[in-house]
Amino acid sequence: MPVLVMKFGGTSVATLDRIRRAAKRVGVEVAKGYDVIVIVSAMSGKTNELVGWVNETSPLYDAREYDAVVSSGENLTAGLMALTLQEMDVPARSWQGWQVPVKTTSAHSSARIEEIPTDNITAKFGEGMRVAVVAGFQGVSPEGRITTLGRGGSDTTAVAFAAAFEAERCDIYTDVDGVYTTDPRVSAKARKLDKIAFEEMLELASLGAKVLQTRSVELAMRYNVRLRVLSSFEEPSDEAGTLVCAEEDIMESNVVAGVAYSRDEAKMTLVSVADRPGIAATIFTALSDAGVNVDMIVQNIAEEGRTDMTWSCPTTEVARAEKAMAEAKDGGVINYQELIADTDVAKVSVVGIGMRSHTGVAAKMFRVLSAEGINIRVITTSEIKISVLIDRKYMELAVQALHDAFELDKAA
């Protein structure tokens, strides 16, 4: 029988009533003739509670035990979902990561999936099981220890299973009914997209859109897994949600597909750094070793052998960056005058595959921001994206103005 993967996020399984509702959706797909692999997250709030218990018990915790505790939330949901399906006379069985097994690396709390053998679950489908309810977010290391994939990892689990089992589709059920041109909470004119290309979704996810985890989109693009994002709170239909698919599956699209934003950004500048070969590598190696996730990078023109180096990073990582640079300076590795941190900025981006073949998108974006009196601090571009750093107080104004200017409320 054809295989369908259905993933239910934390809000979709937050209570027993919501688990029953999700199970009814699974039953509908089984009745259509699918063998279904259901990937479940922990019930809403449960992972945060478990993380809190770990931190309270052991602030400098052993990452292996962290994974053992935190992964238990998904196990609970998987068992309850399987029991609910059985009560509906749907042959179902729960599976923990080690039982499949979902083989991962040994990087506890941020493991990556290496292989998902299909033999065990396929054999059970052959024996009459119709639904395999798999605990998302978890796997097993080469050493036989439980691992977790990082926050949002259940999305990645779902896509990985869809790729391994060559599923017809991977449906991601969440608390929103699809992918929008921007955050509907910021712009009332935000429009739900029927389809979006993998590359556009990947950029939007990495730039602040919270609908899908970035790694899951990367995986879907690599294995050409058709993803559908839809709400578990609306009546199901074949046209519901947003399909994330290959660019060639989209007939017509706007030049710009969406406007993304990230509120908690910081701009950091090393003032008067020695301008010499290898200085950038030295700076960003030190930041990488300190676990600082650097995004935008700008180097100023050198004067008298000195230059300024600017980058952006999440506000939560500013202290780490300051410590890394101070240690590098004290150790004589990097010589600079001062480090300036501005934690009152936001990143706003426009994304669209149409930008490859259309000129003037950057000029239009900059004109729109200028007309609103918004000063641009930093600019970076890629083939299908333009991002700017601006003062945080102008973020919502910028998103609304750009959404209007590119007429994203209208379909192509």
Side-chain angles (χ1 to χ4, degrees):
M1 290 188 182
V3 174
L4 183 69
V5 174
M6 304 173 73
K7 182 263 176 178
F8 293 94
T11 54
S12 303
V13 291
T15 64
L16 291 179
D17 281 342
R18 290 187 181 180
I19 290 174
R20 291 187 194 100
R21 185 176 185 138
K24 287 179 182 177
R25 288 182 180 271
V26 176
V28 169
E29 300 299 341
V30 170
K32 290 179 183 177
Y34 287 105
D35 280 338
V36 182
I37 298 173
V38 175
I39 309 297
V40 291
S41 297
M43 299 168 82
S44 184
K46 179 57 69 175
T47 301
N48 287 338
E49 181 182 37
L50 293 169
V51 170
W53 288 350
V54 170
N55 287 325
E56 188 176 335
T57 303
S58 175
L60 299 174
Y61 54 75
D62 180 333
R64 292 166 296 185
E65 301 308 329
Y66 170 93
D67 280 357
V69 174
V70 174
S71 64
S72 65
E74 279 71 19
N75 297 342
L76 172 66
T77 314
L80 291 171
M81 176 67 80
L83 287 170
T84 304
L85 287 163
Q86 289 172 9
E87 286 296 305
M88 295 165 50
D89 294 324
V90 176
R93 182 64 63 196
S94 67
W95 297 73
Q96 296 179 18
W98 63 270
Q99 293 174 298
V100 175
V102 179
K103 297 182 179 180
T104 73
T105 61
S106 300
H108 287 277
S109 80
S110 59
R112 300 185 78 85
I113 296 172
E114 294 194 320
E115 184 187 2
I116 300 178
T118 60
D119 298 356
N120 288 345
I121 287 179
T122 300
K124 289 299 180 183
F125 279 142
E127 294 172 10
M129 179 184 73
R130 298 300 308 278
V131 181
V133 185
V134 180
F137 173 64
Q138 62 177 248
V140 61
S141 73
E143 297 78 25
R145 299 289 311 188
I146 294 171
T147 57
T148 61
L149 310 180
R151 299 307 289 265
S154 293
D155 286 349
T156 301
T157 304
V159 174
F161 269 84
F165 284 82
E166 298 180 351
E168 190 173 297
R169 197 178 63 247
C170 178
D171 287 347
I172 306 287
Y173 286 87
T174 181
D175 55 357
V176 295
D177 61 347
V179 180
Y180 279 74
T181 49
T182 195
D183 188 340
R185 295 169 298 182
V186 173
S187 174
K189 296 181 181 179
R191 175 176 58 87
K192 185 174 74 68
L193 298 164
D194 293 326
K195 292 183 178 181
I196 187 169
F198 287 126
E199 289 176 86
E200 292 172 324
M201 190 67 245
L202 185 58
E203 291 284 10
L204 289 171
S206 66
L207 293 167
K210 301 290 194 295
V211 180
L212 288 170
Q213 189 208 40
T214 306
R215 277 167 59 192
S216 70
V217 184
E218 288 175 348
L219 206 58
M221 185 163 66
R222 187 185 313 159
Y223 292 100
N224 199 26
V225 173
R226 289 165 67 87
L227 278 176
R228 191 168 63 148
V229 180
L230 62 171
S231 172
S232 58
F233 304 108
E234 294 193 348
E235 288 303 311
S237 73
D238 292 337
E239 292 77 34
T242 299
L243 185 68
V244 187
C245 55
E247 182 179 340
E248 52 266 28
D249 292 338
I250 301 174
M251 293 291 289
E252 292 288 339
S253 62
N254 290 330
V255 177
V256 171
V259 181
Y261 67 87
S262 177
R263 189 185 306 271
D264 299 317
E265 295 286 323
K267 180 171 77 79
M268 306 192 73
T269 302
L270 274 181
V271 179
S272 190
V273 186
D275 187 29
R276 56 174 174 78
I279 187 63
T282 303
I283 292 168
F284 293 105
T285 296
L287 292 171
S288 175
D289 291 345
V292 178
N293 185 20
V294 172
D295 180 22
M296 310 166 92
I297 301 172
V298 175
Q299 183 175 354
N300 291 347
I301 297 172
E303 293 183 6
E304 299 179 359
R306 312 293 290 182
T307 187
D308 296 343
M309 189 75 74
T310 297
W311 68 87
S312 69
C313 66
T315 52
T316 53
E317 297 175 7
V318 168
R320 261 187 269 172
E322 290 174 332
K323 184 172 182 284
M325 291 298 96
E327 289 175 351
K329 185 176 184 179
D330 292 343
V333 179
I334 303 171
N335 176 259
Y336 62 89
Q337 183 177 315
E338 63 176 324
L339 175 59
I340 301 173
D342 182 353
T343 57
D344 198 27
V345 296
K347 178 172 62 181
V348 176
S349 311
V350 296
V351 173
I353 53 176
M355 291 164 62
R356 288 195 188 115
S357 54
H358 289 74
T359 61
V361 175
K364 185 173 185 177
M365 180 180 186
F366 302 154
R367 280 199 307 271
V368 169
L369 295 176
S370 173
E372 298 291 346
I374 301 171
N375 186 43
I376 298 171
R377 306 284 203 87
V378 179
I379 303 168
T380 59
T381 65
S382 74
E383 195 178 23
I384 65 167
K385 172 205 73 177
I386 304 168
S387 294
V388 296
L389 276 188
I390 60 174
D391 289 343
R392 189 175 299 150
K393 64 182 178 182
Y394 295 121
M395 187 198 75
E396 293 194 7
L397 174 62
V399 170
Q400 292 163 357
L402 291 168
H403 195 275
D404 289 348
F406 286 104
E407 299 183 325
L408 298 187
D409 57 322
K410 301 174 184 175

